[in-house]
Amino acid sequence: LYALAYDDDVVVAVGDGPEVEDPREAARGVLQAARDGVPSALWVAAGPGLDGLPVATVEQKLEVLVQAARQARLYLAKEQFEI
């Protein structure tokens, strides 16, 4: 079990609604949170309530979460090394 530190921040990339988020929109949210704070202290997470959704929907939402985090990370790395 991991506890967030006082200087950590969380961005919720996927919510508990039945619709599956667009990975690009989720990545934009992650990027915005990274730009507003410290990227190395940012945790990308799913919101509460996924346990009330069908398993197939939850799997799709978790795939979106992973894609969004990966896209945001690649974009931040690209920005860092193009300076």
Side-chain angles (χ1 to χ4, degrees), residues 13-78:
V14 295
D16 62 352
E19 68 284 341
V20 177
E21 292 80 353
D22 181 321
R24 292 172 300 210
E25 289 299 318
R28 283 186 194 103
V30 173
L31 280 171
Q32 187 60 50
R35 288 185 178 124
D36 291 344
V38 179
S40 62
L42 185 65
W43 291 84
V44 181
L50 292 182
D51 58 336
L53 298 173
V55 171
T57 302
V58 173
E59 288 175 346
Q60 289 175 325
K61 285 178 164 282
L62 292 177
E63 180 61 32
V64 167
L65 184 144
V66 170
Q67 288 178 18
R70 183 176 293 134
Q71 287 176 14
R73 185 173 183 180
L74 287 172
Y75 189 82
L76 289 169
K78 184 176 184 282

